[in-house]
Amino acid sequence: MRRTAAAVLAALALTGTAACSTETTPSGGSAGKTTDDCGYAFVHAATIGSSLFEQWAEDGVKRARTDLGVKIDSVESATPPAIADNFRAFAQQKCKKVIASVGFTAAEAMTQVAKEFPDQQFAIIDAEVALPNVRSYTWAVEEATYVAGVAAAKLSRSGTIGAVFGMDIPPLKRWQAGYEEGAKAVNPDVKVLVNYVGSFSDPAKALTLAIAQKQQGADIILPASGSNLGIISDSVKNDFSVVAIDPDEATKAGEAGVLFTMQQKVADSVILLFRESQDTGAEGGTRDLRLRDDVFAFDPFTTTSGRFAGKVPPEVTEAVKQAYDDIVAGRVVVRNPLAGQ
């Protein structure tokens, strides 16, 4: 395994699960139940209310039901052991076309259960599980952060930009690599400061690191720490600007210091997973989700809410759009630092 981070099943009496929106509740089911087809399943790696990430994933499940006309049962996991329990319960029904999840925290449990049920197809986003019955989808986030790096370097007046990441894990190495490469592509002399918090839930340390970067000259900072509200809300007071990775966070914390947003479209990625499963069936291997799949959005560059357009000069917007188009067309290939690992 390489990491890249419904209603309760009453008849199966799963401990540690919580109710979640579901098209149908697999009530009356039991381990060993066998039918030709009972749709798809989605297992959240946490409770929906605990994470924007899980909320976006559930939005994708709901939209997939409507847009694709498929039946998808979804269930939350209130504790880490419940993730494997939920995978196992759905697999025991022996009728799910694909059992899916999002996030590297679900990868270990999926690996375990997929080995137990080799005839069951699984799929996961934002992680890699190297088994023949698991389809892995990983965001080529280095392409997105390359675009963000181009914009930040173009907008920087000091010639120094920064990034504050959460845990030092492989997916965030892709964030860092693209950001640095994009910035250097338009300004070889730009200085890129990078710090890791060591946690996704330490807003005080995240803000301290951002302020330290400002003191070293950074005037634009990309926070992807899992605790970004403090950095965004205190950016103006501390005289730096922010690249927000979530428009909702930008709104909640205050947009005064936000120059532009870069968003992973989690819901759209979930829909893509189910659409491909519906069209071709699940299979093993890894598929990168790239800019050309339209799973990243940049406001005000590829979409606009009208909230940030006035903060970006036209010549910067043109350069950023060109960088985006070059990646989509294959004229620019962004290095994946995890390739071959």
Side-chain angles (χ1 to χ4, degrees):
M1 176 188 70
R2 290 194 298 167
R3 293 186 173 180
T4 19
V8 175
L9 302 182
L12 297 171
L14 292 188
T15 301
T17 61
C20 162
S21 71
T22 179
E23 184 179 61
T24 58
T25 302
S27 58
S30 62
K33 173 182 175 181
T34 304
T35 63
D36 292 335
D37 173 20
C38 60
Y40 299 82
F42 189 91
V43 174
H44 288 277
T47 58
I48 292 172
S50 68
S51 165
L52 274 173
F53 199 79
E54 297 297 344
Q55 291 175 30
W56 293 331
E58 182 64 13
D59 288 344
V61 170
K62 291 176 180 177
R63 286 171 51 195
R65 290 179 186 136
T66 301
D67 296 354
L68 306 178
V70 295
K71 181 173 70 172
I72 308 170
D73 292 323
S74 67
V75 64
E76 296 175 275
S77 303
T79 64
I83 303 172
D85 291 341
N86 286 330
F87 284 138
R88 189 172 291 108
F90 280 128
Q92 287 172 341
Q93 294 182 14
K94 299 182 180 179
C95 58
K96 295 298 183 190
K97 291 180 179 179
V98 177
I99 301 170
S101 190
V102 173
F104 71 91
T105 55
E108 184 175 352
M110 183 173 285
T111 300
Q112 175 186 346
V113 177
K115 288 179 179 178
E116 296 172 11
F117 296 88
D119 295 328
Q120 172 66 58
Q121 294 297 318
F122 295 83
I124 190 166
I125 296 174
D126 200 29
E128 290 185 73
V129 176
L131 291 173
N133 58 328
V134 179
R135 179 68 162 170
S136 301
Y137 292 81
T138 59
W139 281 298
V141 72
E142 67 276 3
E143 293 186 348
T145 55
Y146 180 102
V147 174
V150 167
K154 283 283 189 181
L155 290 166
S156 176
R157 296 179 178 179
S158 68
T160 300
I161 62 176
V164 177
F165 298 120
M167 295 180 68
D168 190 352
I169 55 176
L172 286 177
K173 292 300 184 184
R174 297 181 77 166
W175 285 68
Q176 177 180 345
Y179 190 60
E180 292 173 335
E181 187 175 340
K184 295 286 186 180
V186 295
N187 181 2
D189 297 324
V190 71
K191 187 174 182 180
V192 184
L193 306 176
V194 175
N195 292 107
Y196 286 85
V197 177
S199 166
F200 287 117
S201 56
D202 193 342
K205 184 174 180 180
L207 178 58
T208 297
L209 291 172
I211 293 172
Q213 290 184 354
K214 168 58 186 174
Q215 292 170 344
Q216 296 174 69
D219 57 351
I220 299 174
I221 296 173
L222 167 68
S225 66
S227 307
N228 304 319
L229 293 178
I231 294 177
I232 297 171
S233 63
D234 283 11
S235 59
V236 174
K237 180 173 66 176
N238 288 285
D239 195 29
F240 61 83
S241 298
V242 170
V243 179
I245 63 169
D246 171 26
D248 294 332
E249 275 193 338
T251 299
K252 185 175 181 180
E255 297 171 357
V258 178
L259 287 177
F260 64 93
T261 65
M262 183 203 87
Q263 182 183 19
Q264 286 175 291
K265 298 162 70 174
V266 178
D268 291 73
S269 301
V270 170
I271 294 170
L272 184 150
L273 179 157
F274 284 115
R275 179 182 293 115
E276 292 192 346
S277 297
Q278 185 182 41
D279 291 345
T280 62
E283 55 186 19
T286 298
R287 183 207 191 299
D288 269 341
L289 298 173
R290 300 189 175 278
L291 292 190
R292 64 172 178 257
D293 295 308
D294 193 26
V295 292
F296 297 96
F298 303 83
D299 186 1
F301 307 120
T302 63
T303 184
T304 181
S305 63
R307 291 144 55 189
F308 309 109
K311 299 182 178 184
V312 181
E315 62 272 19
V316 174
T317 296
E318 183 178 348
V320 174
K321 287 182 176 179
Q322 185 64 57
Y324 182 96
D325 290 342
D326 284 345
I327 294 171
V328 170
R331 293 186 292 268
V332 170
V333 178
V334 185
R335 181 182 68 89
N336 174 4
L338 306 184
Q341 293 185 16

